[in-house]
Amino acid sequence: MFGSGWIQDFHARGVLEHGDAIVAVANHREGTARAFAQRYGIPRVTTDWEALAADPEVEAAIVSTPNALHAPQSIALLRNGKHVMVEKPMATSVAECDEMVVASREGGAFLMVAHCWRFRDEVIAMRDRIAAGELGEVVKTRGYGVHAGWGPSGWFTDPSLAGGGALVDMGVHAIDTARFLLGDPEPARVCATIGTRYAEGRYTVDDDGVMLLTWSNGTNSIVESGWWQPHLGGLEADTEVYGTKGYARIWPAEAPAANYEHCTQPMYSAQVAEFLDAIRKGRQPRPSGEDGRVVIRIVEDAYRSAGLRP
């Protein structure tokens, strides 16, 4: 395990539920890594991730570190023949994604990107309804990747470590979910307005964005991303679908019950199962590195459209 933060707990539980062993955890903060290892009975703790990437005892790794480390750590693992599931966003640039895909191919190891909402039952059910033609031709979707009333801190707001703000943190969920629902088309056009509006002065990364994306199949997708928003138009990854035969959305529009849990263990466990089962069967797990690259290409195009990147 590379990283020992909040999301890695979900992955660790998924690995153990699957019946596999976790042999080591690497993190630059030894204390948090040791606490993580104690929770899951992991025998080895290290701050030297490069040595762990080359360790013959390691067959596969889950990379859940700050975004800027995704590419270098994944590339080191892949070049040493270790299979990798890397957290979203796959990397901070398309160029890094390309390096990761090449390392996977040359190292003979599989690369998977952890776009978790593809493994939520409600999302899969909506994809199946669309594929069955229940909604007719999908004209447009509207997806949400927003935090209302709060936003992250720490490395998430450091552009050198995160590579962006709410778009790369939350918007990528909405982008990949829309693509998954539509059968994984390619992006054809991206227009966006993105800025820092709700916590200006506290950080320089974006906390508000609206993007219009046209896919190769002709469907248009509106994607909203943000932190600290005063209102939540839809839960994380919620997507509205407008078709020639009707309308649907993944989750009900009304406010969820007070005890509702949105990010639940089962989807993360299913994601880990896809990764580990694919390794055992010698097949490429999905979403693949190529799938992750599509999302980062859209992110880059969105920032470029908003005038935030050359």
Side-chain angles (χ1 to χ4, degrees):
M1 311 291 276
F2 281 48
S4 54
W6 177 80
I7 197 65
Q8 197 73 300
D9 281 293
F10 285 94
H11 298 321
R13 289 190 290 264
V15 171
L16 296 179
E17 284 176 20
H18 197 267
D20 285 79
I22 306 173
V23 298
V25 56
N27 190 39
H28 73 289
R29 291 192 182 97
E30 186 175 352
T32 58
R34 289 202 176 279
F36 182 87
Q38 186 173 11
R39 285 199 297 277
Y40 301 107
I42 302 170
R44 180 177 169 193
V45 173
T46 182
T47 58
D48 188 351
W49 67 261
E50 290 175 298
L52 190 59
D55 191 323
E57 188 182 3
V58 175
E59 178 185 0
I62 298 176
V63 176
S64 300
T65 50
N67 301 342
L69 292 173
H70 288 184
Q73 291 182 339
S74 296
I75 289 167
L77 285 157
L78 292 163
R79 284 178 175 165
N80 281 291
K82 321 294 187 185
H83 307 292
V84 171
M85 186 177 85
V86 61
E87 253 303 329
K88 65 79 194 169
M90 177 178 172
T92 61
S93 69
V94 170
E96 286 184 339
C97 294
D98 289 338
E99 289 184 62
M100 293 163 73
V101 170
V102 169
S104 171
R105 188 181 308 123
E106 292 181 348
F110 295 127
L111 172 62
M112 178 180 173
V113 182
H115 285 294
C116 58
W117 294 101
R118 290 178 175 234
F119 299 90
R120 180 79 180 229
D121 289 344
E122 296 92 332
V123 177
I124 296 168
M126 179 64 76
R127 179 204 59 181
D128 292 346
R129 291 176 66 187
I130 293 170
E134 181 180 331
L135 301 175
E137 180 185 357
V138 178
V139 177
K140 71 175 180 180
T141 71
R142 187 182 193 104
Y144 302 92
V146 175
H147 286 317
W150 75 282
S153 58
W155 69 261
F156 286 92
T157 60
D158 182 342
S160 67
L161 293 175
L167 179 57
V168 297
D169 176 39
M170 295 293 292
V172 294
H173 286 309
I175 293 167
D176 187 71
T177 300
R179 183 170 182 255
F180 176 68
L181 293 177
L182 298 172
D184 291 320
E186 294 295 311
R189 184 180 61 162
V190 178
C191 299
T193 177
I194 303 167
T196 309
R197 305 295 299 276
Y198 290 98
E200 192 170 2
R202 269 195 275 165
Y203 46 68
T204 59
V205 294
D206 55 285
D207 59 13
D208 181 68
V210 179
M211 185 180 70
L212 175 62
L213 168 62
T214 300
W215 299 100
S216 55
N217 62 3
T219 301
N220 293 312
S221 289
I222 301 164
V223 169
E224 297 186 19
S225 63
W227 300 327
W228 299 105
Q229 308 280 304
H231 172 73
L232 198 63
L235 297 169
E236 182 178 333
D238 196 5
T239 307
E240 300 176 78
V241 181
Y242 298 76
T244 56
K245 292 183 180 179
Y247 163 88
R249 72 184 296 165
I250 296 172
W251 286 281
E254 62 267 19
N259 61 352
Y260 172 77
E261 275 190 87
H262 194 52
C263 295
T264 57
Q265 184 62 47
M267 72 174 174
Y268 292 101
S269 295
Q271 179 177 249
V272 167
E274 163 67 8
F275 177 54
L276 298 176
D277 289 342
I279 291 171
R280 287 201 175 101
K281 294 173 182 175
R283 63 171 177 84
Q284 172 63 53
R286 294 287 301 272
S288 65
E290 287 79 2
D291 293 317
R293 182 190 186 279
V294 169
V295 175
I296 299 305
R297 175 186 158 195
I298 292 168
V299 166
E300 279 197 352
D301 287 348
Y303 280 131
R304 193 174 296 115
S305 171
L308 299 178
R309 289 189 184 174

